[in-house]
């Protein structure tokens, strides 16, 4: 983290949240960042973030690679702990399609991991390829219970049912379905460079 210059990046979104002892706070920035020659998004969290250690484990297991996260440019590491990751800026996809969905299901079967945030709305496009985003919510299938323990929920009901079948477990928590108007507002917020006007970016809360 000491080598990561956030000062030149624009804040996109922050979540300042705790559930008891669990830290769920994270920040997203956008801009140009050396040594990358393209606009990037940087997602950052503190060492105590509830999902801080999940992403390196999933990468090592082969759940993520260039086929399903071609936008991933690298991890942000500090003293052996994953503090975030860097993604190339993507475009919104036209549609996800069954081929990409089947790819993620095969990865779950092959590696024993699942991504709780995987959904059509969390799948974007980069240079003609589809890429997952929101990567850190990834768990072993045999720890499906962590979804509820970490106050999370599946973003895509068909994938939740698939993972539950793999785990031979009851259906896990699902995100509530959003109306068309709410989805439109979320889309607009995602395109903004600055956080909501009444929510100043708390860079001071980011541990160095």
């Amino acid at each position: 983290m000491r080598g990561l210059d956030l000062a030149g990046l624009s804040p996109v979104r922050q979540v300042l949240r705790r559930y008891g002892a669990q830290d769920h706070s994270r920040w997203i920035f956008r801009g140009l960042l050396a040594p990358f020659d393209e606009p990037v998004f940087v997602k950052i969290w503190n060492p105590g973030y509830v999902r801080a250690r999940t992403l390196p484990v999933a990468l090592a297991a082969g759940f993520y690679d260039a086929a399903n996260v071609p936008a991933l440019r690298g991890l942000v590491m500090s003293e052996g702990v994953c503090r975030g990751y860097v993604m190339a800026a993507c475009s919104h996809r036209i549609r996800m399609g069954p081929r990409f969905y089947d790819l993620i299901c095969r990865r779950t079967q092959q590696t024993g991991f699942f991504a709780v945030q995987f959904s059509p709305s969390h799948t974007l496009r980069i240079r003609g390829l589809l890429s997952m985003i929101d990567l850190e919510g990834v768990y072993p299938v045999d720890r499906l219970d962590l979804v509820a323990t970490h106050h999370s929920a599946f973003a895509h009901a068909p994938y939740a049912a698939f993972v539950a079948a793999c785990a031979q477990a009851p259906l896990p928590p699902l995100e509530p379905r959003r109306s068309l108007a709410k989805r439109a507002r979320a889309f607009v917020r995602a395109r903004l460079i600055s956080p909501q006007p009444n929510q100043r970016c708390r860079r001071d809360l980011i541990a160095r």
Side-chain angles (χ1 to χ4, degrees):
M1 281 291 295
R2 289 182 175 83
L4 181 64
D5 180 19
L6 296 177
L9 300 177
S10 300
V12 175
R13 184 170 184 258
Q14 68 178 356
V15 175
L16 304 178
R17 186 177 301 149
R18 298 189 70 91
Y19 294 99
Q22 291 182 13
D23 180 5
H24 287 252
S25 298
R26 61 266 191 198
W27 294 259
I28 300 176
F29 297 87
R30 179 178 182 171
L32 296 174
L33 182 71
F36 306 105
D37 59 357
E38 59 190 336
V40 296
F41 284 89
V42 182
K43 190 168 189 177
I44 293 294
W45 50 75
N46 284 330
Y49 179 53
V50 68
R51 290 182 279 273
R53 301 179 185 275
T54 61
L55 183 51
V57 175
L59 281 165
F63 180 79
Y64 291 129
D65 64 13
N68 55 10
V69 285
L72 181 63
R73 295 295 179 262
L75 302 184
V76 177
M77 304 293 296
S78 178
E79 299 181 353
V81 177
C82 183
R83 294 289 307 278
Y85 53 96
V86 181
M87 300 275 287
C90 297
S91 304
H92 283 262
R93 83 282 177 269
I94 299 172
R95 59 189 296 270
M96 185 173 72
R99 183 177 299 179
F100 194 76
Y101 176 79
D102 291 344
L103 169 63
I104 305 309
C105 291
R106 286 198 305 274
R107 286 298 170 83
T108 293
Q109 291 176 317
Q110 293 164 355
T111 67
F113 281 81
F114 67 90
V116 70
Q117 286 296 302
F118 169 61
S119 73
S121 60
H122 290 87
T123 302
L124 303 183
R125 184 164 40 87
I126 179 168
R127 301 185 185 95
L129 302 174
L130 294 180
S131 181
M132 300 170 68
I133 61 171
D134 284 342
L135 306 181
E136 74 274 16
V138 58
Y139 301 99
V141 170
D142 61 5
R143 291 308 314 272
L144 185 58
D145 61 296
L146 287 175
V147 175
T149 300
H150 286 177
H151 300 275
S152 188
F154 274 80
H156 193 42
Y159 184 60
F162 172 81
V163 174
C166 291
Q168 297 183 329
L171 191 68
L174 299 174
E175 291 182 359
R177 294 189 64 179
R178 295 184 297 176
S179 67
L180 182 60
K182 288 184 178 180
R183 291 199 300 269
R185 286 196 294 271
F187 174 83
V188 171
R189 284 199 302 270
R191 305 294 288 183
L192 297 178
I193 296 302
S194 300
Q196 297 168 359
N198 62 346
Q199 191 180 35
R200 181 178 64 86
C201 182
R202 295 296 307 274
R203 296 174 188 258
D204 58 300
L205 298 180
I206 303 175
R208 303 304 298 180

